[in-house]
Amino acid sequence: MEVVLIRHTRVGVPKGTCYGWSDVPVADTFEAEAAVTKKNLEQYGAFDRVYSSPLTRARKLAAYCGYPHPDTDDRLKEMNMGDWEMQRYDEIEDDALQRWYNDYMHLAATNGESFPMLYRRVADFLDELKREPYRRTAVFAHGGVLICSGIYAGLFPEEEAFSHLVECGGIQRIEL
């Protein structure tokens, strides 16, 4: 099965803000960015099924691209950043922040998720999707979800994960 994963466009929060599970607005440039994404999606043709994170930034892009009613799934949310949500990284006063910076691939944000936790829920979604009879699906989601999907599909190893972060509005294709 071909799975086309689409990362949401840029968000309307100050640069350096931690916003994983927070339902933040899209940037003022949404329409221009979304138009590029929609044009780039045309090469994939029709989808048998369309999924989305329930967060507005993913659902709004899905709607703009012609899918106003995607199936939403909580497993497609970005990493939960716990107590750090909606704080600027340089203003977070938490002793755990430096430990997380030193080992973000294994440690969780305070009262949030670790990368392995995010990976497990994305892998669970993909394991379930593999059992479906679809030829081609679209998934509107977040950078962390696309990274986990790339690792899952063998596009790159975990050690190189963040060097493969798809830009906002970008597309990643995997085979299941």
Side-chain angles (χ1 to χ4, degrees), residues 105-170:
M105 288 300 286
H106 301 101
L107 299 178
T110 302
N111 294 314
E113 281 184 300
S114 64
F115 186 80
M117 293 165 74
L118 170 64
Y119 182 85
R120 277 193 298 278
R121 69 176 158 84
V122 172
D124 182 61
F125 171 81
L126 295 171
D127 285 344
E128 189 175 299
L129 185 58
K130 277 197 299 195
R131 294 189 292 270
E132 297 294 336
Y134 310 127
R135 282 180 17 297
R136 181 180 297 121
T137 61
V139 176
F140 290 84
H142 310 273
V145 173
L146 273 69
I147 286 173
C148 291
S149 299
I151 293 168
Y152 180 94
L155 297 183
F156 44 82
E158 181 179 310
E159 304 79 50
E160 298 174 12
F162 285 91
S163 65
H164 293 276
L165 179 62
V166 173
E167 66 186 33
C168 287

Side-chain angles (χ1 to χ4, degrees), residues 48-61:
D48 300 319
R49 191 85 178 252
V50 177
Y51 294 91
S52 177
S53 159
L55 298 176
T56 301
R57 56 194 185 265
R59 286 186 301 107
K60 187 168 184 168
L61 181 57

Side-chain angles (χ1 to χ4, degrees), residues 32-44 64-65 171:
E33 292 178 58
V36 171
T37 302
K38 182 177 182 178
K39 179 75 174 153
N40 290 337
L41 271 179
E42 289 175 3
Q43 69 180 301
Y44 295 99
Y64 187 95
C65 291
I171 298 170

Side-chain angles (χ1 to χ4, degrees), residues 16 24 27 47 52 61 66-67 74 97 120 131 153 155 173:
V24 299
F47 295 104
S52 177
L61 181 57
Y67 308 101
D74 282 342
L97 182 64
R120 277 193 298 278
R131 294 189 292 270
L155 297 183
R173 182 191 162 283

Side-chain angles (χ1 to χ4, degrees), residues 50-92:
V50 177
Y51 294 91
S52 177
S53 159
L55 298 176
T56 301
R57 56 194 185 265
R59 286 186 301 107
K60 187 168 184 168
L61 181 57
Y64 187 95
C65 291
Y67 308 101
H69 305 290
D71 293 312
T72 59
D73 193 307
D74 282 342
R75 294 173 294 182
L76 298 174
K77 285 183 176 181
E78 183 58 276
M79 184 184 292
N80 181 347
M81 297 304 290
D83 293 352
W84 305 344
E85 290 277 340
M86 295 313 297
Q87 293 187 60
R88 291 179 49 87
Y89 283 101
D90 58 3
E91 295 174 355
I92 295 172

